Amino acid sequence: MGRTRKRTAGAALGAVALGAVGALAWAARDMPAAFGGDPTKGARGDRMRLSPRYRDGVFHNVHEAELSGGPDAAEGRKIFKEMFFGEERDTRRPSGPIPLVHDDIPRGESDGQLAVSWLGHSTALLEIEGKRILLDPVWSERCSPSPSVGPRRMHEPPVALGDLPRVDAVVISHDHYDHLDMRSVRELARTLPELRFVVPLGVGAHLERWGVGPERFDELDWEEEVDLGGVRVVSTSAQHFSGRGFSNDGTLWSSWAFIGAEQRAFYSGDTGYFEGFAETGEKYGPFDVSLVQIGAYSDHWRSVHMTPEEGVSTHLDVNRGSGDAGSGLLVPVHWCTFVLGLHPWSEPVERLCADADERGVRVAVPMPGERVEVARPPKLDHWWRTVA
């Protein structure tokens, strides 16, 4: 499909995420730094233009045809009306406070266990072979360029940013506001001077604008990797888009593989379902645990956000080399914290659990703040039903 069609789809998603174009314009005037830097300048721009995924000034997915059928302007207005004024809007929030787990993450050195502490939405702390890797940290009250306008958290962060244990690296999947939070990045960089950042190609421009020097981050194209003290951090393919302002796709988006001597983990980032996950599984899998996006799906934009059932398929794809659907643990992310879709708030995890059960996939659904040891996951207790 043409770029215009894809940009229209991206604009519709942006309208849902930010509330209104007017609010976005206000935020641009009030907080220009949140929009990040210009990735096209200097050596970074030269490197981007050499990427197989970059042409005509933007990054592209592997299969552009799969992105056809996005909403046009009229449908975008319909989505906006349904999101904010539809009869089912009250189902998108829980009936009571979301239960949180505090003080579940050990403060000392890692015990060497492969573990995941889900902190809400897509923010998670991965412990792998003694290293701690923080995924898509978002501690702000809103996922927006403005502290006053945009989707607001449905629960507080279960752990204060300053109460995290030592973190070795931050890994970012893409530059949307619900995954790359300027305030969190600045605070992490300020308080943890040894912290490294690993980001998709082009995203380093945002970090530099926010005061993170280039010596502190690695910018990767797909299939590129860095070594984090014996853990390979590999940028792998995804099917999504990027953008923090009025244009899309100026920076790359990625899923990620984390490969140690004995332990392996996968993080999908935001993505539509496509055959790239099977290729990732063949090259880097199988994985002991996969963190997979399950929320904010819709028929309006299904090419860039998976359904829960497609999330189960993704888990199976990246683990297909094992020959056993139950060999890895699936931990769902990208749900529960922000209202970014049209579905009821707990529908993603209900659908996920039902489909995983039918297909023999092991699932752990921690409460925000709960630490899951992959070798000893907790019994599924359907905690979300108490506030559904």
Side-chain angles (χ1 to χ4, degrees):
M1 84 176 192
R3 300 303 301 175
T4 301
R5 187 69 165 162
K6 185 183 174 192
R7 289 176 188 279
T8 303
L13 277 168
V16 171
L18 294 177
V21 173
L24 182 59
W26 181 88
R29 179 195 64 187
D30 190 60
M31 290 197 66
F35 284 87
D38 181 356
T40 64
K41 295 180 178 179
R44 176 178 292 108
D46 293 338
R47 186 179 166 211
M48 285 168 43
R49 285 182 280 274
L50 293 175
S51 171
R53 280 145 286 282
Y54 193 83
R55 63 183 182 275
D56 302 324
V58 291
F59 285 96
H60 292 253
N61 284 291
V62 174
H63 304 293
E64 292 290 2
E66 295 186 8
L67 297 178
S68 61
D72 57 20
E75 192 171 5
R77 290 191 292 270
K78 179 181 178 181
I79 295 169
F80 178 85
K81 183 177 180 180
E82 183 179 352
M83 180 71 177
F84 295 100
F85 303 102
E87 293 181 359
E88 296 183 353
R89 66 186 183 277
D90 291 340
T91 68
R92 300 184 191 117
R93 295 181 177 276
S95 61
I98 293 171
L100 306 178
V101 176
H102 303 285
D103 302 321
D104 204 34
I105 304 173
R107 289 298 304 266
E109 292 299 312
S110 173
D111 59 10
Q113 296 290 327
L114 179 61
V116 173
S117 299
W118 180 55
L119 303 175
H121 198 58
S122 291
T123 302
L125 183 65
L126 172 67
E127 298 174 59
I128 178 169
E129 302 205 349
K131 300 298 180 183
R132 289 193 177 105
I133 301 172
L134 187 59
L135 306 176
D136 287 348
V138 176
W139 261 259
S140 288
E141 181 68 13
R142 300 178 185 272
C143 55
S144 166
S146 166
S148 304
V149 178
R152 191 172 187 175
R153 303 181 69 97
M154 295 193 295
H155 65 81
E156 65 180 17
V159 179
L161 198 56
D163 290 337
L164 286 173
R166 177 189 55 81
V167 176
D168 297 286
V170 166
V171 172
I172 302 295
S173 63
H174 63 297
D175 72 0
H176 285 155
Y177 292 101
D178 58 321
H179 295 261
L180 179 62
D181 176 36
M182 177 184 71
R183 299 169 190 89
S184 298
V185 166
R186 282 177 164 173
E187 183 66 10
L188 286 163
R190 183 185 67 81
T191 58
L192 301 171
E194 303 300 318
L195 181 67
R196 294 199 61 78
F197 294 81
V198 186
V199 301
L201 190 54
V203 175
H206 304 326
L207 301 187
E208 286 193 72
R209 183 167 188 186
W210 302 335
V212 181
E215 72 283 355
R216 296 188 61 183
F217 60 79
D218 296 282
E219 251 175 304
L220 305 184
D221 202 344
W222 292 348
E223 309 305 327
E224 293 182 342
E225 62 183 77
V226 295
D227 179 81
L228 184 65
V231 176
R232 296 166 58 198
V233 180
V234 187
S235 172
T236 50
S237 62
Q239 184 169 280
H240 200 54
F241 69 109
S242 65
R244 297 181 69 83
F246 297 100
S247 60
N248 294 325
D249 306 337
T251 63
L252 188 59
W253 46 95
S254 295
S255 61
W256 294 91
F258 305 93
I259 305 171
E262 301 292 337
Q263 303 168 349
R264 296 187 180 214
F266 173 77
Y267 171 45
S268 71
D270 277 11
T271 180
Y273 179 64
F274 75 128
E275 65 262 30
F277 296 126
E279 297 168 2
T280 294
E282 291 170 0
K283 190 166 185 178
Y284 302 108
F287 296 92
D288 301 292
V289 61
S290 58
L291 291 84
V292 179
Q293 170 252 307
I294 66 163
Y297 51 84
S298 171
D299 287 341
H300 296 297
W301 53 76
R302 71 171 302 159
S303 58
V304 292
H305 274 173
M306 292 187 291
T307 64
E309 295 79 10
E310 289 170 332
V312 175
S313 294
T314 294
H315 172 83
L316 291 171
D317 283 353
V318 299
N319 287 288
R320 61 169 49 188
S322 69
D324 179 6
S327 64
L329 182 68
L330 192 164
V331 177
V333 298
H334 203 272
W335 76 286
C336 181
T337 305
F338 299 105
V339 179
L340 300 176
L342 304 176
H343 53 68
W345 85 277
S346 63
E347 180 184 284
V349 73
E350 291 284 2
R351 287 175 55 173
L352 174 90
C353 290
D355 191 64
D357 184 59
E358 289 184 7
R359 300 164 78 177
V361 171
R362 294 190 304 129
V363 172
V365 185
M367 287 182 271
E370 185 177 1
R371 182 176 184 261
V372 172
E373 289 189 8
V374 173
R376 293 176 291 276
K379 183 179 178 180
L380 198 62
D381 62 2
H382 302 90
W383 57 265
W384 56 90
R385 293 178 179 172
T386 64
V387 291

